[in-house]
Amino acid sequence: NNLWIQLVFSLPRKGLTKGGVIRTSGTSIYTIKRVLGVVPFEADGSAHFAVPANRNIYFEVLDGEERVIQRMRSVVCLKPGETRACIGCHERPGSAPPNSPASAASREPSQPTPPPWGDRTVSFLRDVQPLLDAKCVSCHDRGRPTCRVILTGDLTDQFSIGYEELLPYLAVANAMRWDHPDDVHPRAPYTYGSRASRLAVLLDAGHHGVSLTEEDWQRLASWIDSNGVYYDRYETGHYP
């Protein structure tokens, strides 16, 4: 079994009391994200895991390379001691689950294993820009007259040059907008996300010999699958 469930915390805005939107990314996404970690599936497809209480959390199914196959498009928020079960999101309302025990139900719940860099809130400048500096900027720099995409960390009015130039490459091929999936109808696996993005397709094909480590890929995929957010906070100061 090479599948995982990734737990993502969509952080609330605590300092804004009268509505409005604080821009946290170059897309329509307005919540900052924290990847809490991954938990395993059992061979029969069942899973049993613990989540932090009083948090808006959603789940992503990852393949063996920890890239999103499918993701949940809503959130759950459990109270301390609460247990919740689910058989899926698109089964018929009158159907019943298979009459067989789930393997995961016979063991203690899994605890999320955080990524190598920890479960801190996702930040483009902290988590992705150093990767670009190490692997990409030597070619994608202002000083290269033939370079069409600049990936430096120079700041713009709202974000950075590298971030703004990279955003279009998060879209899937032929997509009009990468950040507006159809939230109404079921979609096939790999319709969106880090496996289907133009950036991943380009790098998978071997982009001018760029070599990424497993952690490099994990870091890049985690950022893409966190909706490409830029900031790790809504206001100045530290968010716990």
Side-chain angles (χ1 to χ4, degrees):
N1 175 33
N2 293 320
L3 301 181
W4 303 89
I5 297 177
Q6 181 160 267
L7 282 61
V8 184
F9 172 25
S10 189
L11 280 72
R13 296 175 292 165
K14 293 187 176 181
L16 192 64
T17 59
K18 295 185 178 180
V21 173
I22 297 174
R23 194 167 192 196
T24 60
S25 71
T27 74
S28 62
I29 302 303
Y30 56 86
T31 57
I32 58 178
K33 311 289 184 180
R34 180 178 295 172
V35 177
L36 300 178
V38 297
V39 293
F41 280 103
E42 299 297 328
D44 63 353
S46 62
H48 185 201
F49 53 92
V51 302
N54 299 318
R55 297 289 186 268
N56 290 328
I57 296 173
Y58 61 89
F59 311 136
E60 299 173 330
V61 179
L62 308 184
D63 62 19
E65 295 182 316
E66 299 197 21
R67 301 196 217 173
V68 163
I69 300 173
Q70 191 62 278
R71 62 161 290 177
M72 182 177 171
R73 300 181 211 169
S74 58
V75 298
V76 296
C77 183
L78 278 66
K79 294 300 180 182
E82 181 179 355
T83 299
R84 184 174 298 187
C86 176
I87 61 168
C89 296
H90 297 287
E91 283 72 18
R92 295 184 180 277
S95 65
N99 188 19
S100 60
S103 297
S106 63
R107 60 169 175 78
E108 291 297 309
S110 300
Q111 300 295 325
T113 301
W117 54 92
D119 63 354
R120 61 197 181 192
T121 307
V122 177
S123 162
F124 177 82
L125 282 180
R126 186 189 62 233
D127 299 325
V128 180
Q129 188 62 52
L131 173 58
L132 301 181
D133 292 341
K135 300 296 178 72
C136 309
V137 169
S138 60
C139 293
H140 293 273
D141 195 358
R142 289 173 179 269
R144 303 297 291 264
T146 60
C147 180
R148 296 188 301 171
V149 178
I150 306 300
L151 296 179
T152 64
D154 301 282
L155 299 181
T156 64
D157 289 342
Q158 289 187 309
F159 305 111
S160 69
I161 292 176
Y163 177 78
E164 293 178 0
E165 301 240 326
L166 202 58
L167 279 183
Y169 290 87
L170 304 192
V172 298
N174 302 318
M176 294 298 292
R177 288 287 300 276
W178 79 275
D179 58 324
H180 279 278
D182 181 351
D183 283 342
V184 178
H185 301 98
R187 289 297 190 179
Y190 294 119
T191 297
Y192 307 104
S194 54
R195 175 69 70 182
S197 70
R198 292 170 59 197
L199 177 61
V201 171
L202 185 70
L203 292 173
D204 279 331
H207 181 63
H208 297 288
V210 173
S211 177
L212 299 180
T213 67
E214 182 177 342
E215 182 176 327
D216 290 340
W217 267 117
Q218 188 179 357
R219 187 180 295 269
L220 196 59
S222 178
W223 170 67
I224 296 173
D225 294 325
S226 296
N227 301 114
V229 294
Y230 182 82
Y231 291 108
D232 64 345
R233 65 201 69 196
Y234 297 113
E235 299 94 6
T236 57
H238 175 67
Y239 200 105

